Structure formats: C-alpha cells, structure tokens
Amino acid sequence: MNPVSVSEVIAAVLVFVTTFLLGSIPWGVIISRVFYHKDIRNEGSGNIGTTNAMRSLGKVGGAAVFVLDFGKGLLSGVVVMAVLGLIIPEGLPEDAALAYQDYLGLSLLGCAWGHIFSPWLKFKGGKGIAVAVGCLFVVFGVPGALLELSIFIVLVAITRYVSVGSIAAAAACPFFALYFFWGYPLAWLFCTIGALTVVWAHRGNIERLRAGTERRIGDKKSSQTN
C-alpha cells in the first residue's frame, strides 16, 4: 500500500469533521422548540429521534424530524464530493492510499457519531437510524439501502418493536459492507464502527427487550422506550 499523502489526510479530516458537524444538528430539538414550543428531551423517552418525535410531536412533527435527519445522511455524500473536489481537484490517483470508498465509509461514521454524540447537547443525541439510512443511500447505493430498510420494515411488522428492526438493520450493516466494500478494508471498518455504535446507542432498548418491558407500536404510554 502506498503511503497516505498530506492531501489525503487533510481530505479525510475535513470529511470526518464536516460530516460530524452535519450529523450533530439536533433537528428533533429544533423542531420541537420552534414549532411545538417544548423540548422533545422532556417528552416521552427523551430521545431526539424519529420514534419519540412521532409519539411526542405527532405524525407531522415526527415526519419532519425523520426527513431532516435522513437528509443529514444524504448530504454526507455531497460533503465527500465537495471536500475531494476542493482538496484533490485533479481527482484521486489510481495509486492513492485512500480510495473514494474509504471517504464514503468515513462520512457514515462521522455523520452517525455526530448525531449520537451531538456536541450541542453535551455529547448526547439520537440513536442514529434515520441518519444512517440516509448515509447508506450514498454509501451502499439504492439497492443496499433498500435491503437494509427491508430488514427494518419486516422485523418491525412482525414484532411491532421499532428497536428490533433498528438493531437488526444496524447489525446487518457490516455484512452488507463486506459485499459493497470488498477490497476496501478501511471503508468496511468505518462502516462497522458506525453500525456498532448505533447498536450501542440502543443498549437501553436491548435491556428492556430482555426484561420484556420494551414498548411495542400501538401500546399505551405506560413505558418509555426509543
């Protein structure tokens, strides 16, 4: 492998920092405060993501949070193209140490970490599903992202647990990455770390699933979950 050039290092740092800051925008908090005059962190489970937004803000508010969080993921791909165009305008050479796929994997990691560890919320945030799915439409392409969504939808439909679909889709990501990033171990590593972080963010849900106290879709507001 060729040594990493200075321009590649600069590009990688900029991709990670920019996508981290993009992912860190807490749309759940912004939407709840600006349009509903309350803080979503004080509602329901306290999570800033789509599931709690749907329950706390209603369908319109929840859909807005999903679209904006999903959009952060999509924009991460634009960040990669913009940064590479700025730092390496002549394009990545064939013998570059970091491939385009590596930058895509890094953008997923940055965006997911920004959302889960938002610096604007004292390094707390959401659980990363909507953001990660948006990223996957860029990182894996439409077929791979739809496969991930299929896992989520099928398991949620069968179990009525949003968390089961979310955890399973995140856990499947490293295996899909093996296919889509075959020959690009660094890109696979970035995706795997991002996916495992999303699973970690659902640790409370995992405990409630084990205890049998996790809330299903359609249950009354007697328990707190996502």
Side-chain angles (χ1 to χ4, degrees):
M1 177 182 292
N2 294 316
V4 182
S5 67
V6 174
S7 60
E8 288 175 283
V9 171
I10 294 173
V13 171
L14 279 178
V15 164
F16 181 80
V17 171
T18 306
T19 55
F20 181 89
L21 292 175
L22 174 65
S24 73
I25 302 172
W27 284 119
V29 175
I30 294 171
I31 294 295
S32 65
R33 284 185 168 180
V34 173
F35 296 101
Y36 294 87
H37 307 294
K38 57 184 178 181
D39 192 330
I40 194 174
R41 292 172 294 178
N42 299 325
E43 304 290 328
S45 65
N47 190 265
I48 68 170
T50 300
T51 302
N52 192 45
M54 284 284 187
R55 291 167 178 165
S56 304
L57 308 179
K59 293 181 179 179
V60 174
V65 172
F66 172 79
V67 169
L68 290 167
D69 281 347
F70 178 84
K72 294 191 298 188
L74 285 180
L75 283 175
S76 66
V78 177
V79 168
V80 172
M81 291 185 286
V83 168
L84 291 182
L86 176 66
I87 304 301
I88 314 177
E90 69 277 8
L92 286 170
E94 292 185 3
D95 60 349
L98 298 179
Y100 181 66
Q101 289 83 349
D102 297 325
Y103 292 104
L104 286 180
L106 186 60
S107 73
L108 182 149
L109 178 61
C111 204
W113 274 13
H115 182 76
I116 295 170
F117 307 112
S118 175
W120 319 117
L121 305 177
K122 298 180 180 179
F123 294 97
K124 297 179 181 179
K127 298 182 180 178
I129 290 298
V131 172
V133 171
C135 288
L136 290 179
F137 271 93
V138 178
V139 174
F140 288 171
V142 174
L146 290 179
L147 285 172
E148 286 276 7
L149 274 177
S150 297
I151 293 174
F152 173 81
I153 292 170
V154 169
L155 287 177
V156 171
I158 292 173
T159 66
R160 291 196 298 123
Y161 287 124
V162 174
S163 57
V164 169
S166 300
I167 295 165
C173 185
F175 298 98
F176 284 120
L178 276 176
Y179 172 78
F180 289 105
F181 287 148
W182 187 259
Y184 300 97
L186 196 57
W188 174 84
L189 179 62
F190 291 146
C191 282
T192 298
I193 294 173
L196 292 178
T197 306
V198 172
V199 173
W200 172 85
H202 285 79
R203 61 197 182 282
N205 301 86
I206 294 172
E207 288 299 320
R208 287 188 291 272
L209 285 167
R210 294 176 61 184
T213 59
E214 179 75 318
R215 182 175 168 184
R216 296 175 187 265
I217 294 176
D219 285 352
K220 295 181 179 180
K221 299 180 180 179
S222 58
S223 58
Q224 307 297 324
T225 58
N226 294 283

